[in-house]
Amino acid sequence: MHVKQSTDLIHSLPIKRERIFHQHVLWGLCFLIIPVLLVTIILYIQYEVSNLEPYFELNDIFYWAGVTIFLNIIVYMAAIFIGMLTGLSIAQGVLSYVFLLLPVGLIIIFSYNLQFFLYGFPDDYYINNGIEYYSPLVIMEKLSREQISSHVMWIYGIISIILYLLALFLYKKRKLEATSQALVFPVFKPI
């Protein structure tokens, strides 16, 4: 979607846009999931052959694989959604990180500034407690110390599905001529 020649080639084929979108997303998911599964199989074989029980348990291998695949899917769906809004690869990368870190950044800014306007406002409480659940990138950073609860995974799973559906909707509405533009929809041009 970011290179004019490949966009023209793919969309000149007699294939519906939905099918192209689903195919590209599915292949991208395969390229994300298959390496993690291969590493999981290798770790399982090493666990069975070597005496690694004092270092980690078998459940740890499968927990790591599940969380890694899950967080990869979340970040991937966010990048796909942002990719439908932009026509430049660099802009997609930058905006994807901004999109993933925006909730945490806004909470920190509001909490820090509210202490100046509200006497006794506990800004440290809001900054230090539970803020890591508002961004998958922050969750990844905290994985070595904490485990992710199931309700957080459910919420992010629902968000991933919503991002997928929104990206599909935007892909159908996107004009092919908008390739190599920073923002492809005229509504976002002032931004």
Side-chain angles (χ1 to χ4, degrees):
M1 294 302 298
H2 299 149
V3 179
K4 183 158 180 44
Q5 290 85 7
S6 65
T7 302
D8 291 342
L9 173 72
I10 293 293
H11 292 93
S12 66
L13 298 173
I15 303 172
K16 290 185 177 182
R17 277 188 168 203
E18 288 181 21
R19 193 172 184 124
I20 294 170
F21 181 80
H22 295 310
Q23 180 181 3
H24 281 88
V25 170
L26 183 65
W27 276 108
L29 285 173
C30 288
F31 288 137
L32 285 174
I33 293 172
I34 290 173
V36 176
L37 293 177
L38 289 174
V39 169
T40 304
I41 292 169
I42 292 169
L43 280 173
Y44 177 74
I45 292 170
Q46 285 181 340
Y47 183 82
E48 292 296 327
V49 172
S50 304
N51 186 18
L52 299 176
E53 293 169 1
Y55 302 108
F56 56 87
E57 297 178 11
L58 191 59
N59 292 338
D60 294 335
I61 296 172
F62 296 115
Y63 175 78
W64 169 82
V67 169
T68 302
I69 290 170
F70 186 74
L71 290 174
N72 281 344
I73 290 171
I74 292 168
V75 173
Y76 180 62
M77 289 302 155
I80 288 173
F81 172 71
I82 295 297
M84 294 302 117
L85 296 174
T86 184
L88 297 172
S89 301
I90 298 295
Q92 180 184 2
V94 170
L95 290 175
S96 294
Y97 277 110
V98 169
F99 180 73
L100 290 169
L101 291 172
L102 185 65
V104 173
L106 289 176
I107 289 171
I108 289 173
I109 288 171
F110 284 135
S111 297
Y112 183 74
N113 286 318
L114 276 178
Q115 72 175 341
F116 299 119
F117 298 110
L118 298 174
Y119 181 73
F121 182 77
D123 62 323
D124 291 338
Y125 174 77
Y126 290 104
I127 291 174
N128 295 330
N129 294 334
I131 198 167
E132 65 267 5
Y133 299 115
Y134 293 116
S135 172
L137 298 178
V138 179
I139 289 175
M140 285 183 206
E141 188 270 327
K142 294 205 176 246
L143 269 181
S144 61
R145 298 182 299 272
E146 301 174 12
Q147 287 193 347
I148 301 175
S149 64
S150 62
H151 72 278
V152 171
M153 293 182 80
W154 274 103
I155 290 170
Y156 274 117
I158 292 169
I159 290 171
S160 296
I161 293 169
I162 291 170
L163 287 174
Y164 178 79
L165 295 174
L166 285 174
L168 178 61
F169 175 76
L170 291 174
Y171 183 67
K172 290 178 186 177
K173 299 295 181 189
R174 181 182 169 138
K175 294 184 180 180
L176 298 177
E177 300 85 30
T179 303
S180 74
Q181 293 180 6
L183 295 170
V184 296
F185 291 102
V187 176
F188 297 120
K189 295 286 184 186
I191 297 173

